[in-house]
Amino acid sequence: MVIRNLMHQDISGVVRIHCKNLPDSPFVQMGAEFLSEVYYPTLLKDKNTFCLGYEWERNLAGFICGTTNASALSRKLVMLNLFIFPMIAVKILLRDPKRIGAFLGLVRFILEKPPREAKRIRAQLLSFAIDEEFRSAEFFKQHQIKIANELFHAAVMELKQRGVIEFKVITDRKNIANIFYRNMGMGMAAPNDPQNEYCLYIGNTGAL
């Protein structure tokens, strides 16, 4: 077992885990093609971004990505893929016109101005998923390892080494990960208003 930096050859495994375990993600709604050709290549190229993978017996069990500058990454995601982005979108929409809503939702998600509290903090944990096999009660009972916890703490340490003090996590309100982030000691910054579509959590690299 080892936590290591992900490389380009890991993208297919990351996309598989992402699509399988985060089906409601705005990026997944655009399909695996968008993730493999636009999203993850951009993350791996960005100097302010890191992607860590947990390898178990030569299998990718899970991953976590983070950045020290979320707003700059959003701009880069659009600018570096100015031509690829629409080409992939057109191909996807031609195959399935019903995905126009997903495409518009993704554009809004990328370009939408964050709440004031979120905007103040530039560092952010991004996509984070553990394959179902490696987060089951049976796996924990057999190995006494919580891969999600280990990856989370590795990501926090990476942010700390990059000089980050505060960082944020934005989740869908219905995402079960909300329980995980609270268990990890992160506090909810935005009011617990059921009208809000997303939850904002703030963590401190010196306290977690």
Side-chain angles (χ1 to χ4, degrees), residues 97-115:
K98 293 181 181 178
R99 286 193 176 180
I100 183 65
F103 174 72
L104 295 175
L106 176 62
V107 172
R108 179 171 62 86
F109 180 79
I110 293 175
L111 299 178
E112 190 174 43
K113 291 184 178 180

Side-chain angles (χ1 to χ4, degrees), residues 50-201:
F50 61 88
C51 294
L52 303 175
Y54 194 105
E55 193 174 284
W56 178 272
E57 297 180 350
R58 298 187 178 180
N59 293 310
L60 185 64
F63 68 92
I64 188 169
C65 300
T67 180
T68 58
N69 195 330
S71 58
L73 177 62
S74 293
R75 291 192 297 270
K76 185 173 289 188
L77 189 61
V78 174
M79 297 306 296
L80 287 183
N81 302 286
L82 206 54
F83 299 105
I84 300 175
F85 197 113
M87 286 173 60
I88 291 178
V90 168
K91 282 196 293 183
I92 291 172
L93 295 177
L94 284 175
R95 288 199 301 264
D96 185 1
K98 293 181 181 178
R99 286 193 176 180
I100 183 65
F103 174 72
L104 295 175
L106 176 62
V107 172
R108 179 171 62 86
F109 180 79
I110 293 175
L111 299 178
E112 190 174 43
K113 291 184 178 180
R116 182 180 301 176
E117 185 70 7
K119 192 174 182 179
R120 178 181 66 83
I121 301 172
R122 297 193 303 173
Q124 180 177 342
L125 293 184
L126 306 167
S127 49
F128 178 21
I130 311 300
D131 213 357
E132 186 175 14
E133 173 189 354
F134 299 99
R135 55 183 168 84
S136 66
E138 182 180 347
F139 179 84
F140 176 72
K141 184 178 180 180
Q142 183 176 357
H143 303 287
Q144 296 295 303
I145 293 174
K146 291 186 177 181
I147 292 177
N149 294 32
E150 294 195 12
L151 272 176
F152 176 81
H153 288 301
V156 172
M157 182 59 66
E158 179 70 27
L159 288 172
K160 187 174 183 178
Q161 290 174 350
R162 292 174 180 239
V164 170
I165 298 175
E166 285 188 304
F167 65 96
K168 61 192 173 188
V169 176
I170 300 174
T171 67
D172 186 284
R173 177 163 293 280
K174 299 177 182 178
N175 196 325
I176 194 172
N178 288 298
I179 299 173
F180 173 81
Y181 289 119
R182 289 196 291 270
N183 288 341
M184 290 295 101
M186 298 192 71
M188 183 180 285
N192 192 15
D193 182 356
Q195 298 300 316
N196 290 339
E197 187 176 354
Y198 298 102
C199 295
L200 169 66
Y201 294 92

